[in-house]
Amino acid sequence: MSADDQAFLDVLSSLPHDIQRYSGEVAEYIEHYSGNVADYIDKNVERIADALREALAASPWLPESIRPRPPPPAPALTLPTSAYDSIQNWISRHKIVTGVIVLAAGTILYRTYRSSARSRKTRRARRAGSGGRLDVVVIAGSPALPLTRSLSLDLERKGFIVFIVSNSPEDEIMIHNLSRPDIRSLTIDTTDPPSAGSSIERFAHYLQTPHAAIPGGKRHYLTLKAVILIPSLNYQTSPIATIPPSSFADLFNTHLLNPILTIQAFLPLLTARLSPANNSNNNETAPPKVLVFTPSIISSINPPFHAPEATVCSALSAFTEVLAAELRPLSIPVTHVQLGTFDFAGFSPGASARNRGIHHHHHHHQGVNGAVGLLCASEGADTLQWPDSARHAYARNFERQCGSAISAGRIRGMRGSSLRELHNAVFDVIDGSITSGTVRVGLGAGVYGFVGRWVPRGMVSWMMGIRKVDELSTWEQSESQRNSYNSSLNSPRSAGSVDDHEGEKVGDLEGLEGTSMSQESFVAVGHMDQHKGVADSHVWKEDL
């Protein structure tokens, strides 16, 4: 057998094995493909059957008896979730609410932490080695004010020597009645600049003179730590039309001009840097601080019928800002303390009488800003004493505002903040713990500041009960004004030039003013209108 034949036989012998292998692969492929095809056909047949069943069930033309029933809904698969997962899902759905809650909680926690830390702080003034007092505080405020008395007693208890500025013998008597050896009177007459300067010189000499706690003890020098300005807080509540000019003049003199002159008198002492040559603690002495107190509630929202307080407090705030700008280069801090509502129980003159149930409607009451203020109409003021025109225009809104929940800056039904909050804030400013230029203390100080900045004025007035006035009184010309005007028209000079006619009317008005000023109280004085022939009875003239 040749080699070619043997090769051919080998090929023929290998064919059965290849055919068997290929046939097995083809069988496996057909089996797998047929299985997939069967599965595919089964799934589509079931889908088609479900769709056909649903279509027939929803067909109205089939009778109810042969209409197929729809398949029952598959039961919802609920997986048990933990509380953490539930909270996380709620947070993801309410992101804005979550942010507000986190911000509010953080603010409350921060304020609570600061309040607790400040309440635990030990507040005591410095003492000399011999036990004598070293720090001096001057309070420029009337000793009749509850705020002045409470603050002076607290500072004296904490170790300060307190001087209260007095302008009269009555003030000195009230300071003496406090019965505290370290609360003393400092007489300064701000209306007489030379006398005020002499008083400041004597006070500076007192600070530069060494003192001893006990006779024969070690001597030390006193240090002026702060000058606290507390303006008078008694303001009239009334429409502008019913306030005589003399009241505005007295208000500006006592509430605005007097505090400015007091600070002006102390400025040479503040900028002098009192430092005796033999004082070993010169380098450690901080400059004195200036604290200006003003009520902030009324000046923040400027409500109707509070023109005196709003005007004076706004002017004092502007004055404080200018003073701070001038003293800042001299390293003398100026802090504006904006007061809210405080509880002065025990410090108001009539507190004991009110506690016994005695009501004095004609007396003054303790105001919300620590002052003694006038009563509103709903609390004792008589609007019937106003002129008819002012009563028709303002009386109803005035009474509504006095009866509102937030009238005069007070929140009806809520007591003021504790005086300890104010005392702690003042001490922290004096010792340097608080360095801010503006400090809001008391209930409502921060809230009303926010309302004044962001809430529309119309909404604030509406909340205080102010409503539109539809009915006003008609103008009634007085008999004397009519006679004066008629006589001016019938005079021989009435046919003259316009200038002569106007000059004659001016002369008649001067005579009318002289007649009006002889009355017993403030009266309406006319101002003639050449077009209408009437007199303006809203101009006030003061009794001479």
Side-chain angles (χ1 to χ4, degrees):
M1 185 179 294
S2 63
D4 294 334
D5 295 337
Q6 186 63 35
F8 179 74
L9 291 175
D10 293 338
V11 172
L12 289 177
S13 62
S14 63
L15 285 176
H17 299 285
D18 294 337
I19 292 173
Q20 183 180 2
R21 181 170 59 84
Y22 293 147
S23 62
E25 292 178 357
V26 171
E28 291 178 359
Y29 177 78
I30 292 174
E31 181 181 0
H32 178 70
Y33 179 75
S34 62
N36 292 338
V37 171
D39 294 339
Y40 177 78
I41 293 174
D42 291 340
K43 291 180 180 180
N44 284 276
V45 168
E46 290 179 0
R47 188 178 296 109
I48 293 172
D50 293 339
L52 183 60
R53 189 181 300 110
E54 293 177 359
L56 294 176
S59 300
W61 52 272
L62 282 177
E64 186 68 23
S65 60
I66 64 174
R67 185 180 301 174
R69 300 292 181 184
L77 182 61
T78 57
L79 298 176
T81 58
S82 62
Y84 176 79
D85 294 335
S86 301
I87 295 174
Q88 189 175 13
N89 294 334
W90 189 90
I91 292 175
S92 63
R93 293 194 305 268
H94 306 85
K95 295 181 179 179
I96 298 179
V97 177
T98 303
V100 173
I101 294 175
V102 170
L103 180 61
T107 303
I108 294 174
L109 291 176
Y110 174 72
R111 289 184 174 274
T112 303
Y113 171 76
R114 288 188 59 185
S115 177
S116 61
R118 289 182 177 179
S119 63
R120 294 192 302 266
K121 177 182 176 180
T122 301
R123 294 176 172 85
R124 300 294 299 176
R126 298 181 306 157
R127 292 275 187 170
S130 59
R133 303 187 180 220
L134 293 175
D135 297 335
V136 177
V137 174
V138 176
I139 299 179
S142 173
L145 291 176
L147 182 60
T148 303
R149 297 200 301 274
S150 65
L151 187 59
S152 60
L153 291 173
D154 179 77
L155 291 176
E156 188 271 342
R157 186 169 57 252
K158 291 176 179 176
F160 291 96
I161 299 177
V162 181
F163 284 87
I164 301 178
V165 177
S166 62
N167 299 318
S168 63
E170 292 77 8
D171 292 345
E172 295 182 2
I173 293 175
M174 284 187 285
I175 296 172
H176 178 72
N177 290 337
L178 294 176
S179 301
R180 293 292 191 275
D182 291 308
I183 298 181
R184 308 170 187 178
S185 173
L186 178 60
T187 303
I188 298 178
D189 186 5
T190 57
T191 60
D192 186 2
S195 175
S198 300
S199 300
I200 294 296
E201 289 181 0
R202 290 193 296 270
F203 182 64
H205 178 71
Y206 171 81
L207 295 177
Q208 291 180 309
T209 302
H211 301 269
I214 56 176
K218 184 179 180 181
R219 294 181 174 271
H220 57 272
Y221 291 90
L222 302 179
T223 302
L224 179 62
K225 297 295 292 184
V227 175
I228 303 174
L229 179 63
I230 306 177
S232 179
L233 304 177
N234 180 19
Y235 294 95
Q236 181 178 0
T237 303
S238 181
I240 297 176
T242 63
I243 302 177
S246 62
S247 296
F248 275 113
D250 294 340
L251 179 76
F252 294 150
N253 285 330
T254 58
H255 293 60
L256 182 59
L257 183 59
N258 187 44
I260 293 176
L261 294 179
T262 302
I263 288 294
Q264 191 177 35
F266 276 97
L267 283 177
L269 182 62
L270 296 174
T271 58
R273 288 291 194 276
L274 298 179
S275 55
N278 56 349
N279 188 356
S280 60
N281 295 327
N282 289 341
N283 297 330
E284 300 178 2
T285 302
K289 298 176 175 60
V290 179
L291 287 78
V292 181
F293 288 11
T294 60
S296 65
I297 293 179
I298 295 301
S299 60
S300 297
I301 60 179
N302 293 328
F305 314 120
H306 291 81
E309 182 174 354
T311 303
V312 172
C313 292
S314 298
L316 285 176
S317 298
F319 171 77
T320 305
E321 292 182 3
V322 175
L323 179 66
E326 292 183 359
L327 297 183
R328 189 176 297 112
L330 305 178
S331 300
I332 299 177
V334 178
T335 303
H336 185 194
V337 181
Q338 299 182 356
L339 304 177
T341 305
F342 293 96
D343 182 15
F344 286 102
F347 282 95
S348 57
S352 59
R354 288 194 299 270
N355 292 335
R356 294 192 301 267
I358 301 176
H359 301 281
H360 300 280
H361 293 291
H362 62 281
H363 285 175
H364 293 176
H365 79 297
Q366 182 182 335
V368 295
N369 297 322
V372 178
L374 296 179
L375 296 177
C376 289
S378 61
E379 300 174 346
D382 188 6
T383 58
L384 297 177
Q385 298 178 359
W386 297 352
D388 292 341
S389 58
R391 187 170 63 254
H392 283 84
Y394 308 109
R396 182 172 299 179
N397 281 329
F398 181 76
E399 293 174 356
R400 286 176 178 173
Q401 176 180 288
C402 290
S404 65
I406 56 174
S407 66
R410 68 180 182 275
I411 302 176
R412 191 177 300 277
M414 298 183 64
R415 301 184 65 179
S417 300
S418 173
L419 284 173
R420 178 176 296 181
E421 181 180 351
L422 174 64
H423 299 160
N424 293 342
V426 171
F427 186 92
D428 291 342
V429 172
I430 293 176
D431 74 348
S433 300
I434 297 178
T435 59
S436 176
T438 302
V439 178
R440 295 182 179 269
V441 188
L443 177 65
V447 174
Y448 278 91
F450 175 82
V451 170
R453 286 192 302 268
W454 302 106
V455 179
R457 298 294 181 182
M459 182 178 296
V460 175
S461 298
W462 182 85
M463 294 174 61
M464 301 185 74
I466 305 300
R467 300 294 184 268
K468 183 179 180 181
V469 178
D470 296 328
E471 297 181 2
L472 295 176
S473 60
T474 58
W475 188 275
E476 295 181 0
Q477 187 176 1
S478 64
E479 185 66 24
S480 60
Q481 291 171 343
R482 286 197 297 269
N483 294 337
S484 175
Y485 182 68
N486 292 333
S487 63
S488 66
L489 294 179
N490 296 329
S491 63
R493 295 179 59 188
S494 61
S497 62
V498 175
D499 295 337
D500 294 339
H501 187 58
E502 291 180 353
E504 184 174 353
K505 286 191 291 185
V506 171
D508 292 337
L509 289 177
E510 292 177 353
L512 181 61
E513 291 179 2
T515 303
S516 302
M517 292 172 64
S518 63
Q519 303 295 328
E520 296 180 355
S521 61
F522 291 94
V523 295
V525 177
H527 176 72
M528 305 304 298
D529 191 328
Q530 63 178 347
H531 300 292
K532 298 180 181 179
V534 296
D536 184 3
S537 63
H538 294 281
V539 181
W540 285 94
K541 291 297 180 181
E542 185 177 1
D543 179 22
L544 293 181

